[in-house]
């Protein structure tokens, strides 16, 4: 079990955050921090690659709701790809899929978001 | 183990990410029972939430206890804490529409457990709480 | 958990790969203690061997018990089975030169445990065996 | 925890076996089976990529000693690369490194073995 890590890059006006590790409160806070920094810099489109975060908990995921809320101020978007089936199911149960979008690949996501 | 129903018991202290030692155990038990990967992942997610509640809301530094019981083609998992207890019927069902704009984003654990498992029961008093959940093959 | 020494307890039945639920727990405890990844991996390997022995040589379908105790900067792990016991001093040290050409390729578990841990002690009788092993930060 | 899997391919006269999963008795037997089939077909150089088998036990590893023994009949070689540090340490403690070689990459291994 390694520490939660993330890597941030930009494709056009979309910020892509690739995570690794357990998406718990610590992981959620790290994602939020990375997003808020970019939001302060004027960005409002975020795409999370959660391929290597196949284990999550509800506290970590509820921090994503905070990001969704924050992005409403600037008409922004949050989206995901490479979700483990259980992560997608969790997002559905919690209703995140009403306010953010699950894509099946980076290409598809970038095509729709840009 | 033919004929008997295997029991796994864990007593875990409150340490960061300790719930992952429970999910690893759940995975091994689920694999032995030949549950699908989908069901195995649902069990692990529900177990994470039950453990977090036991660790967090129990307001007690005692260990939590987890029992896995293989009952034929059904897996029963019990998570017990020695915390202050709660009345499950009084817990509000969370809605994302209400969470957005509210200061309280959390409160999803019980909802997830109920959606992901086949049956869920709560036994709670001021002495502690036991959540019993089952999943069929 | 300040001031107290956290204890983790596992009771595991003989199921395939069940030792991996113990190593996952060991990893989480080692991480909490801030042991190096190298030491954490050594602990897990020694624990796998101790669990396999407990499962296999115990010739008993009862559960095995594992205790993890964090004692300051030392981790103590005990693996207990209710098997028939053995005399550790009579176990031959394995040599690969002798294994090649022999029908008996196995017999490496105790050697690995001793090499990988700081201290190892055996307590064994006809009622069962407890291996106590420690690793310092 | 997924099943032990392996994939076999040939580079020149070297058989490369890439494994995935816990190298216990089951995993060891699968590797041995794959080797013996190729040995029967006349091969005697085997290279194991153990990158995705970072967890092993002594029963699994002792089956590799069987393969080493079998390869002595045909003056063959067993070698490995991409070993997790604890796996390399285990091979050293058990003495496998006296009868087989640990390489740091596929390239290095193929250059020396061919
Ligand atoms: N084991 C427990 N002991 C005491 N209270 C609990 C326990 N489990 C749940 N609760 C109560 O139920 C509420 C809802 O729990 P849950 O749905 O898991 O969300 P969260 O833990 O994020 O608040 C908690 O806030 C707590 O008041
Ligand atoms: N927990 C145990 N109970 C009874 N006998 C044991 C136990 N652990 C080890 N032994 C004995 O010690 C021998 C050496 O064990 P070990 O070095 O782990 O190799 P292996 O298990 O492959 O034989 C075993 O063959 C067995 O006779």
């Amino acid at each position: 079990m390694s520490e939660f890590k993330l890597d941030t890059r930009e494709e056009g006006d979309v910020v892509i955050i690739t995570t690794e590790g357990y998406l718990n409160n610590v992981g959620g806070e790290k994602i939020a921090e990375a997003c808020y920094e970019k939001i302060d810099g004027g960005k409002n489109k975020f795409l999370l690659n959660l391929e290597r975060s196949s284990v999550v908990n509800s506290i970590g995921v509820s921090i994503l709701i905070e990001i969704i809320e924050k992005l409403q101020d600037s008409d922004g978007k949050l989206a995901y790809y490479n979700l483990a089936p259980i992560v997608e199911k969790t997002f559905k149960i919690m209703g995140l899929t009403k306010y953010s979008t699950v894509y099946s690949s980076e290409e598809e996501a970038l095509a729709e978001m840009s | 183990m033919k004929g008997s129903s295997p029991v796994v018991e864990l007593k875990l202290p409150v340490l960061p990410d300790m719930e992952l030692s429970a999910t690893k155990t759940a995975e091994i038990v689920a694999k032995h029972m030949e549950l699908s990967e989908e069901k195995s992942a649902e069990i692990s997610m529900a177990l994470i939430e039950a453990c977090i509640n036991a660790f967090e809301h129990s307001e007690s530094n005692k260990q939590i206890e987890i029992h896995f019981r293989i009952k034929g083609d059904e897996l029963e998992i019990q998570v017990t804490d020695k915390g202050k207890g709660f009345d499950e019927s009084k817990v509000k069902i969370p809605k994302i529409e209400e969470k957005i704009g509210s200061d309280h984003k959390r409160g999803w654990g019980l909802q997830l457990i109920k959606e992901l498992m086949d049956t869920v029961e709560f036994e709670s008093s001021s002495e502690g709480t036991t959540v019993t959940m089952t999943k069929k093959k």
Side-chain angles (χ1 to χ4, degrees), chain A, chain B:
Chain A
M1 198 194 33
S2 43
E3 290 301 335
F4 188 88
K5 285 181 216 135
L6 56 76
D7 172 78
T8 306
R9 66 191 168 89
E10 296 181 18
E11 287 283 337
D13 58 347
V14 179
V15 179
I16 302 182
I17 300 177
T18 302
T19 66
E20 183 179 336
Y22 184 21
L23 177 37
N24 57 8
N25 55 326
V26 177
E29 293 295 354
K30 284 192 181 167
I31 295 174
E33 224 173 82
C35 288
Y36 296 162
E37 209 185 292
K38 291 287 179 186
I39 290 175
D40 288 344
K43 299 287 173 189
N44 72 353
K45 293 178 184 172
F46 292 87
L47 178 59
L48 305 185
N49 176 0
L50 297 180
E51 182 173 15
R52 307 196 67 180
S53 290
S54 58
V55 181
V56 304
N57 73 26
S58 68
I59 307 179
V61 178
S62 68
I63 296 172
L64 301 181
I65 304 179
E66 268 179 45
I67 302 172
I68 289 172
E69 184 181 301
K70 185 106 173 184
L71 281 171
Q72 292 188 335
D73 298 342
S74 62
D75 245 347
K77 283 181 197 165
L78 181 63
Y80 327 90
Y81 69 105
N82 279 347
L83 299 193
I86 185 64
V87 176
E88 183 160 355
K89 183 168 249 168
T90 299
F91 284 13
K92 274 200 189 121
I93 293 173
M94 293 176 60
L96 271 80
T97 44
K98 295 185 204 166
Y99 293 89
S100 53
T101 315
V102 177
Y103 292 108
S104 55
S105 70
E106 185 178 316
E107 295 68 51
E108 192 201 357
L110 289 177
E112 302 241 349
M113 290 177 83
S114 308
Chain B
M1 303 299 299
K2 272 180 210 121
S4 71
S5 80
V7 179
V8 184
E9 251 182 273
L10 314 181
K11 284 191 195 165
L12 307 177
V14 185
L15 295 182
D17 297 351
M18 203 69 215
E19 62 274 18
L20 299 183
S21 101
T23 58
K24 184 71 188 180
T25 308
E27 272 174 41
I28 292 167
V29 172
K31 189 184 170 189
H32 170 74
M33 292 177 68
E34 298 179 348
L35 295 179
S36 67
E37 283 198 17
E38 185 186 353
K39 290 194 182 188
S40 176
E42 289 167 356
I43 291 166
S44 287
M45 181 74 201
L47 184 54
I48 283 177
E49 296 299 325
C51 287
I52 291 178
N53 280 346
F55 284 135
E56 192 174 14
H57 301 301
S58 72
E59 294 183 7
S60 135
N61 269 340
K62 294 187 188 122
Q63 294 164 313
I64 72 163
E65 280 189 42
I66 306 171
H67 285 83
F68 299 83
R69 285 189 196 84
I70 304 176
K71 298 178 157 179
D73 62 356
E74 184 175 85
L75 175 59
E76 179 189 276
I77 303 177
Q78 284 191 312
V79 179
T80 301
D81 66 67
K82 300 264 169 291
K84 59 171 183 167
F86 76 115
D87 183 350
E88 192 269 324
S89 68
K90 300 237 166 85
V91 175
K92 249 192 109 210
I93 295 176
K95 296 243 174 314
I96 192 160
E97 292 74 14
E98 293 164 13
K99 293 291 181 191
I100 290 179
S102 150
D103 272 349
H104 183 68
K105 299 277 186 289
R106 292 185 42 184
W108 296 95
L110 301 179
Q111 183 69 9
L112 282 164
I113 295 170
K114 289 181 207 163
E115 296 264 359
L116 294 169
M117 298 298 284
D118 291 344
T119 70
V120 187
E121 270 167 42
F122 298 86
E123 241 188 280
S124 196
S125 75
S126 56
E127 313 278 280
T129 301
T130 294
V131 183
T132 305
M133 43 199 194
T134 66
K135 187 89 162 182
K136 264 221 157 65
K137 206 169 154 172

